Amino acid sequence: MHLLFESEEQIIELMIEKEFSDVPIMKEIAECESGLDNSAIGKAKERGLFQVHPIWFSTMKKLGIDLNTVRGNIKGARHILETQGLSAWTCWNMVK
């Protein structure tokens, strides 16, 4: 049997590329922030692929976004991008 994807990481990459086709650098930001590990927890309790900072947790909850899921973390990152721009991520300066 031939698998279309070799790893979960490939699926995550495709999900990010699809959501951020208009901002392809977001994939590099996720790689820098978490190594594409959605279970990553930062020093300040940031969560997931895009290391969403706790200041966003209540907003995400109100929007019905579960940051603990891959899809939710990506959707949360889209909201943050539209609200605050790329400067919301520490890695922005490292990957631009």
Side-chain angles (χ1 to χ4, degrees), residues 24-41:
I25 198 166
M26 290 300 286
K27 186 176 108 178
E28 293 175 60
I29 288 174
E31 289 171 345
C32 176
E33 291 285 345
S34 69
L36 297 179
D37 179 1
N38 199 54
S39 65
I41 304 288

Side-chain angles (χ1 to χ4, degrees), residues 52-70:
V52 176
H53 193 276
I55 62 171
W56 290 100
F57 292 176
S58 65
T59 299
M60 297 304 159
K61 187 173 182 176
K62 288 176 189 171
L63 294 172
I65 296 173
D66 181 358
L67 294 172
N68 296 312
T69 67
V70 171

Side-chain angles (χ1 to χ4, degrees), residues 66-85:
D66 181 358
L67 294 172
N68 296 312
T69 67
V70 171
R71 185 173 310 282
N73 206 270
I74 291 169
K75 293 292 183 190
R78 168 58 77 178
H79 178 77
I80 293 167
L81 178 65
E82 291 173 356
T83 305
Q84 191 174 343

Side-chain angles (χ1 to χ4, degrees), residues 13-27 50 74 78 81:
E13 286 176 356
L14 287 171
M15 290 173 73
I16 293 170
E17 289 169 3
K18 181 179 179 188
E19 177 64 34
F20 296 105
S21 61
D22 58 327
V23 191
I25 198 166
M26 290 300 286
K27 186 176 108 178
F50 287 95
I74 291 169
R78 168 58 77 178
L81 178 65

